[in-house]
Amino acid sequence: MIKVNVNDKLAHLKNTPFLLNDKDIQWVEETLVSMNLHEKVGQLFCPIGSSDKKEDLETFIENYHPGGIMYRPNTGAKIQETHRLLQEISPVPLLISANLEAGGNGIATDGTYFGKQMQVAATDNEEMAYKLGVVAGREGRAAGCNWAFAPIVDIDMNYRNPITNVRTFGSNPKTVAGMAKSFMKGIHESGIAASVKHFPGDGVDDRDQHLLPSVNTLTTEEWDQSFGVVYQEMINSGAKSIMAGHIMLPEYSRRLLPGIEDKHIKPATLAPELLKGLLREKLGFNGLIVTDASPMVGFTVSERREIAVPKAIASGCDMFLFNRNIKEDYEFMMKGIETGILTLERVDEAVTRILALKASLGLHLQKEQGTLVPGEEGLSVLQCEEHKVWARECADLSVTLVKDTQKLLPISAEKYKRVRLYVLGDQEGGLKESGSVTQPFVDSLENAGFQVELYNDKQVNFQELFMSVNEFRDKYDLVIYVANLETASNQTTVRINWQQPLNANAPWFVRDIPTLFISVANPYHLQDVPMVKTYINAYSSNEFVVEAVVDKILGKSEFKGKSPVDPFCGKWDTRL
C-alpha cells in the first residue's frame, strides 16, 4: 500500500463532524487519487434508484460511478436485497439514503410508522424525539441505509405553508432545536448519518419549493435568532450533512453581496454567498452539503439546467440529488468543468467530503468485512415489540385536545348511540406515508358500542341535501369528523374542500347536533371549521394514534398533548 502523509489540506477531516483518524484520512486520500475524472464526477451524484435487476445495476454503476443512491420504500426484504446487490457491485461504498422522518417506514413499507415530527413535539418530551431517531435509525440500517434525509429543522411559522406543517417540530425555534438534536443523537447512534434539512429554512413562505423557488423573507436579525440558532446548535452537535433547499434568503444575500440585483438572487442550492458565506464561514459547518431533489421546479426554473447542474457544486454543494435525466446531467457536469463553471479543485474538495462522510460511518471498513448491509435476520427489528411500545407511548402523550367549549367529552354509547362519521381525505398511494384510518375508527367506535354510519363521499345523497333539521336530528345523536388531509409535496394548499354540490358534507348542523372534529394530519383545520366546538389534533395517521384518540374521547385516558403550533391560526373566532 502506498504511504500517504496526512497533509494540511485534509487536516479539517479530523474535526467535527467527520472526526477521522490518520488511517481513515489515508483511505480518503488514496481513494481520491485512484479515481479518474469520470469517477470523481460520478461521486457527486445521488440518483433515484429505479431497477433492482443485477444487470441493470452493474451497467448503471459502470457508466456513472454514483456516490450515493436512494430508492423509494419497498418491503424490508426487497429493499435490503437491492441495497446489498448495489454495495457488492460498487467499488466504492455507496451512501444509501432514505427519508427517515417518521420512522422505518421511510424505507421499508413494513417498517414502523412511529409518528410525524410534530406529533413527537406534542409530547413535549425530547426523549421521544430520541426514540424516533433510534427507531428510524435501527430500521433504516436493517434495510441497508446509512444516510437519513432527516431531521427536518424547518420552523412552521406560517400555518398556510402546504409542505412543512406536521413534518416539523413546530413553530418554536427552541423546541425545534432540542427535538432535532435528540433525534439526531438517536439516528447517529444507529450508524446512520443525519442530513439536516432544508437550509436556509422553510416554513416562512406559504408556497412549496417543489413548485417554485420559495422565499424565506426574514431579516438577517430575525434569521439569526431563529433558523440561525437552530442550525448553529445542529452543527455544534455534530450534524454530518445538511440539505440545501431551493429556498431564497434575500436579506442575507443582499447583506453578503451588497448591490446584488433582485433578478440575481438565487435559492440556496445556487447561492455561494449562502452556502460558503453563511453556512460554511459564519456558522462553521465542515460537513457535507447536498442539494434537495434537483427535478423540483424550485431548482429547474432558477437557471438553465446546463448551467445549474455544475453551478450547484461550484456554489458550495458537495452532492447533487436526483436527476431529470442522469445521462444528460452527467454530461452537463462534465461540460461545466470544460467551460470553467466548475473547477477541478472544487470537484476534489466535494468528493473529499463525500468520501469523508463515508469514512466517518466506517463504510470503507464495512466494505472489507462484508457488513455494509446486514443479514436478513436483521429485519426482525422492523415493527419489533419495543418500537411499537414506544410508538404507542408517543401517541398517548401527543394527542391534543385543542378545545371543547361545548363540554362534549367524554362521550359514551349510552348517551350518543347513533354516530354519523365523516372521513375527509384518507387516500392511500402516491408518495404519501399515511395509511387509511377509516376502518380503524369505525371498528374502534363499534367495539365501544356505538352504531356507526359512514358517510359516502363518493356519491352525493341528494335526498339528504334537503333533509330537515329535525329529520337529521332524529337519525343521529353525534357527528364525528376525522380529517386525514396530509401535507405532501407538489400541492399548493392543505385545506378542506367540501363535497359539491352545496357543500354536502359540511357541518351545517353544529348548532343542533353535538359535533366532534379529529385531525390526524394537518393541525390547522380550525381555520375552515371554527364553528366546531370540540376539536382534537393527533398529527399522524397510524394505528397507535387511532387507538389513543378513541381511548381519550371515551374518557379512558387523559389528553396529554401540548400543541407545538398555534392551532387557532391567529384567529379569534376559532377559539369559540
Side-chain angles (χ1 to χ4, degrees):
M1 183 177 283
I2 302 170
K3 273 275 189 182
V4 179
N5 293 320
V6 177
N7 56 48
D8 293 339
K9 196 172 183 181
L10 298 184
H12 70 285
L13 301 185
K14 289 189 173 185
N15 301 332
T16 303
F18 300 126
L19 302 174
L20 302 188
N21 59 37
D22 288 351
K23 202 169 181 181
D24 295 331
I25 294 175
Q26 183 172 320
W27 176 82
V28 170
E29 189 164 31
E30 287 177 350
T31 304
L32 182 68
V33 169
S34 72
M35 291 178 175
N36 60 37
L37 182 58
H38 284 273
E39 290 167 335
K40 289 178 181 178
V41 167
Q43 285 292 303
L44 301 175
F45 287 96
C46 181
I48 190 83
S50 55
S51 176
D52 57 10
K53 294 179 181 177
K54 184 177 181 180
E55 56 270 27
D56 292 343
L57 297 179
E58 287 176 334
T59 300
F60 190 81
I61 296 293
E62 176 65 28
N63 287 344
Y64 299 111
H65 320 283
I69 199 163
M70 175 174 159
Y71 277 77
R72 292 298 180 190
N74 205 324
T75 62
K78 186 63 184 173
I79 204 73
Q80 187 195 68
E81 179 186 356
T82 302
H83 289 164
R84 184 179 295 110
L85 189 56
L86 277 163
Q87 293 288 30
E88 289 171 356
I89 293 169
S90 180
V92 179
L94 290 157
L95 290 169
I96 294 183
S97 58
N99 287 322
L100 300 173
E101 300 171 9
N105 64 327
I107 188 60
T109 52
D110 47 347
T112 304
Y113 178 9
F114 187 92
K116 298 289 190 180
Q117 288 189 186
M118 191 173 287
Q119 181 194 337
V120 170
T123 69
D124 197 29
N125 183 349
E126 291 180 7
E127 178 68 15
M128 202 56 65
Y130 170 76
K131 288 179 177 178
L132 170 59
V134 170
V135 171
R138 284 178 183 170
E139 298 193 7
R141 186 74 194 91
C145 294
N146 50 45
W147 196 19
F149 293 152
I152 293 171
V153 297
D154 297 323
I155 304 172
D156 208 42
M157 295 180 172
N158 189 337
Y159 71 87
R160 296 182 179 89
N161 187 295
I163 183 66
T164 53
N165 205 287
V166 291
R167 297 174 71 209
T168 74
F169 286 120
S171 58
N172 185 319
K174 184 178 179 181
T175 300
V176 172
M179 291 283 174
K181 285 190 295 183
S182 295
F183 173 97
M184 187 169 72
K185 181 176 185 287
I187 210 158
H188 278 179
E189 287 178 2
S190 305
I192 289 183
S195 184
V196 179
K197 62 186 184 185
H198 306 83
F199 180 82
D202 206 346
V204 180
D205 204 343
D206 60 1
R207 299 172 294 179
D208 177 7
Q209 56 161 328
H210 290 79
L211 302 172
L212 44 75
S214 60
V215 184
N216 184 320
T217 55
L218 299 184
T219 65
T220 55
E221 292 77 15
E222 289 170 336
W223 192 91
D224 286 343
Q225 293 164 16
S226 54
F227 289 96
V229 169
V230 173
Y231 274 99
Q232 190 68 75
E233 290 202 29
M234 297 305 290
I235 290 166
N236 293 347
S237 298
K240 290 178 181 287
S241 65
I242 288 176
M243 180 180 286
H246 313 308
I247 303 167
M248 292 181 274
L249 187 60
E251 291 307 311
Y252 246 114
S253 288
R254 293 183 182 116
R255 171 172 288 191
L256 295 171
L257 294 175
I260 186 174
E261 296 182 56
D262 287 353
K263 65 181 180 180
H264 292 142
I265 292 175
K266 299 291 183 185
T269 34
L270 295 167
E273 73 277 10
L274 299 182
L275 298 175
K276 297 176 182 178
L278 179 54
L279 186 53
R280 292 278 188 221
E281 295 174 19
K282 183 179 172 74
L283 298 180
F285 182 59
N286 186 41
L288 181 143
I289 302 174
V290 60
T291 73
D292 204 341
S294 67
M296 290 163 62
V297 180
F299 183 80
T300 62
V301 302
S302 294
E303 184 63 88
R304 286 180 52 220
R305 195 166 186 88
E306 183 175 344
I307 295 171
V309 171
K311 186 177 178 182
I313 305 299
S315 297
C317 293
D318 301 303
M319 212 161 186
F320 193 83
L321 186 60
F322 305 166
N323 309 95
R324 292 289 303 178
N325 178 283
I326 180 65
K327 183 176 184 295
E328 182 179 67
D329 283 352
Y330 191 95
E331 290 170 353
F332 284 160
M333 196 73 77
M334 293 296 292
K335 187 175 180 181
I337 295 170
E338 293 171 14
T339 59
I341 295 174
L342 179 60
T343 66
L344 293 175
E345 182 182 25
R346 176 68 196 114
V347 171
D348 280 356
E349 182 184 43
V351 176
T352 295
R353 279 205 171 90
I354 294 165
L355 295 174
L357 178 57
K358 295 177 181 185
S360 76
L361 293 167
L363 301 191
H364 57 315
L365 304 177
Q366 293 170 28
K367 177 76 170 175
E368 293 176 4
Q369 299 159 0
T371 58
L372 278 165
V373 179
E376 292 180 22
E377 66 280 359
L379 294 173
S380 61
V381 75
L382 301 180
Q383 290 198 52
C384 68
E385 191 56 35
E386 182 177 39
H387 293 180
K388 288 193 286 189
V389 167
W390 288 352
R392 191 169 284 112
E393 179 188 10
C394 183
D396 175 58
L397 293 173
S398 61
V399 175
T400 307
L401 178 61
V402 175
K403 70 173 183 179
D404 184 21
T405 57
Q406 63 184 328
K407 305 299 182 186
L408 172 65
L409 300 177
I411 60 173
S412 67
E414 289 71 34
K415 190 172 183 180
Y416 302 107
K417 184 73 173 177
R418 301 164 303 169
V419 174
R420 161 59 74 84
L421 178 64
Y422 293 87
V423 181
L424 310 176
D426 212 36
Q427 296 177 350
E428 294 186 274
L431 300 181
K432 294 190 176 185
E433 291 180 342
S434 65
S436 173
V437 297
T438 300
Q439 201 56 49
F441 266 108
V442 171
D443 292 343
S444 296
L445 291 169
E446 287 182 342
N447 290 338
F450 295 94
Q451 292 176 358
V452 181
E453 180 187 296
L454 180 65
Y455 179 78
N456 182 2
D457 62 358
K458 302 293 188 293
Q459 185 176 355
V460 175
N461 183 334
F462 285 94
Q463 184 177 357
E464 185 175 300
L465 273 178
F466 301 100
M467 183 181 289
S468 70
V469 173
N470 286 332
E471 285 178 297
F472 203 79
R473 193 164 48 195
D474 286 342
K475 287 189 68 176
Y476 309 111
D477 304 309
L478 173 69
V479 174
I480 299 177
Y481 281 88
V482 176
N484 188 15
L485 295 165
E486 186 182 0
T487 56
S489 58
N490 301 296
Q491 60 186 11
T492 56
T493 187
V494 185
R495 297 287 295 274
I496 298 173
N497 292 307
W498 302 110
Q499 187 184 32
Q500 298 303 326
L502 300 176
N503 310 305
N505 58 343
W508 58 270
F509 40 72
V510 293
R511 293 287 181 176
D512 294 283
I513 300 176
T515 303
L516 165 64
F517 196 105
I518 302 161
S519 173
V520 295
N522 185 354
Y524 299 119
H525 285 315
L526 272 176
Q527 64 178 314
D528 290 322
V529 289
M531 72 290 286
V532 173
K533 306 301 181 185
T534 306
Y535 181 94
I536 294 166
N537 275 329
Y539 314 104
S540 303
S541 58
N542 61 33
E543 59 188 289
F544 313 107
V545 161
V546 174
E547 178 185 318
V549 167
V550 174
D551 277 353
K552 292 176 191 304
I553 64 176
L554 294 178
K556 293 181 179 180
S557 172
E558 295 178 7
F559 287 93
K560 302 164 188 169
K562 180 180 177 182
S563 183
V565 293
D566 174 18
F568 300 106
C569 307
K571 302 179 186 299
W572 65 269
D573 60 319
T574 56
R575 295 178 177 272
L576 300 177

